[in-house]
Amino acid sequence: MAFIYASCALGAICLISFLVNFNKKRTVIGVFNKMTVSIFFIMTAFFGILHSMDKIGDPSIIKYGLLVLIGLVFGMLGDIYLDQKWVYPNDEKKYLYAGFITFAIGHIFYITALAVKAQLKFVYVLLGACVGLLVVIVNIFIEKFTTQNFGEYRFIVMLYSLLVGTTPGVALVATIMTHGEPAFIVFLIGAVFFLLSDIVLSPMYFSKGKNTPVNFVINHVTYYIGQYMFALSIIFLK
């Protein structure tokens, strides 16, 4: 457990350093600084898997841990791609698409991890996807009645919204179906924070004047709370 605590603490320190420096000047060095924060949530998941090795009698625990770990790796890749769009604005389109796609793949692994560990039937996964559908509908109304304009990214935004909304939906279903397994409660909290980070991020990307320092900090703090909660959920498996 000491390694888990240490990786979380070091990740928090690196996050503070990133927020202070990258918000002042968006450089490649800042991207690597942020990548370090992501490495620590991956390490948290890795140490969580090692911590759960004594429960090897249940192979679904290891499967869950590995699937979450892979999802976190895709999250780190998504971070790298999205931040490159600030460093190389001329290539914004390809980096934005790459970021959306890699994060979407990560959520597929998260959803799979929940379904495997909770032994959810496909119909229950579809029930969780109703939350994702609700997020899509909200995004449609947001674009229609606010200053947000998804433009040519509309399809990928809606697809990503479906997945990022399905993750907490499936986590909620898994929590209910397992009568409140602690790991799924922790994961659900993380999924809500992750969704909140995207709610803040959306106007930063698709509205003018919303990419403020306050939104920048809120977006990253909620995002990293979400990712670290995903990683920490592994140690609560039973």
Side-chain angles (χ1 to χ4, degrees):
M1 289 293 289
F3 288 110
I4 296 174
Y5 296 144
S7 61
C8 288
L10 290 171
I13 293 171
C14 291
L15 175 59
I16 293 171
S17 175
F18 164 76
L19 291 174
V20 171
N21 294 301
F22 195 70
N23 202 20
K24 291 180 179 178
K25 188 176 181 180
R26 300 186 174 188
T27 64
V28 175
I29 294 176
V31 174
F32 280 108
N33 192 356
K34 185 177 181 181
M35 187 170 65
T36 303
V37 187
S38 299
I39 287 173
F40 280 118
F41 65 56
I42 291 172
M43 288 179 63
T44 300
F46 176 75
F47 291 133
I49 293 173
L50 293 181
H51 176 76
S52 300
M53 288 297 287
D54 60 337
K55 306 170 186 175
I56 194 68
D58 183 356
S60 67
I61 290 178
I62 304 303
K63 289 179 181 178
Y64 175 90
L66 291 175
L67 287 167
V68 169
L69 180 63
I70 294 171
L72 292 171
V73 170
F74 275 100
M76 182 181 71
L77 292 174
D79 278 337
I80 294 171
Y81 287 132
L82 289 181
D83 283 336
Q84 292 292 341
K85 84 183 210 56
W86 301 115
V87 180
Y88 303 107
N90 291 335
D91 295 318
E92 175 182 349
K93 182 177 178 179
K94 68 179 182 181
Y95 285 124
L96 193 55
Y97 270 110
F100 273 121
I101 292 170
T102 49
F103 268 119
I105 293 172
H107 278 279
I108 291 173
F109 277 99
Y110 293 146
I111 293 166
T112 303
L114 293 165
V116 168
K117 183 62 182 71
Q119 298 181 340
L120 299 179
K121 295 180 180 179
F122 185 65
V123 65
Y124 292 119
V125 176
L126 290 179
L127 183 61
C130 290
V131 178
L133 184 60
L134 178 62
V135 174
V136 172
I137 294 172
V138 169
N139 267 336
I140 292 172
F141 278 95
I142 284 175
E143 187 178 25
K144 185 174 181 179
F145 296 107
T146 69
T147 59
Q148 288 192 56
N149 180 14
F150 301 129
E152 63 181 293
Y153 302 106
R154 187 171 292 104
F155 175 78
I156 190 65
V157 166
M158 296 306 170
L159 177 61
Y160 174 73
S161 297
L162 177 63
L163 289 169
V164 78
T166 297
T167 301
V170 174
L172 177 60
V173 171
T175 300
I176 295 171
M177 295 300 293
T178 58
H179 306 288
E181 180 170 339
F184 297 142
I185 295 175
V186 172
F187 192 100
L188 175 59
I189 294 171
V192 171
F193 271 100
F194 198 113
L195 182 58
L196 288 174
S197 76
D198 281 330
I199 290 173
V200 176
L201 183 65
S202 183
M204 291 173 65
Y205 277 8
F206 302 111
S207 290
K208 293 182 179 180
K210 299 296 184 180
N211 189 18
T212 64
V214 172
N215 284 341
F216 180 85
V217 172
I218 294 174
N219 165 247
H220 283 87
V221 170
T222 52
Y223 164 72
Y224 277 109
I225 289 175
Q227 294 285 50
Y228 274 93
M229 293 297 278
F230 291 162
L232 289 170
S233 70
I234 298 171
I235 68 174
F236 289 93
L237 290 168
K238 63 180 182 178

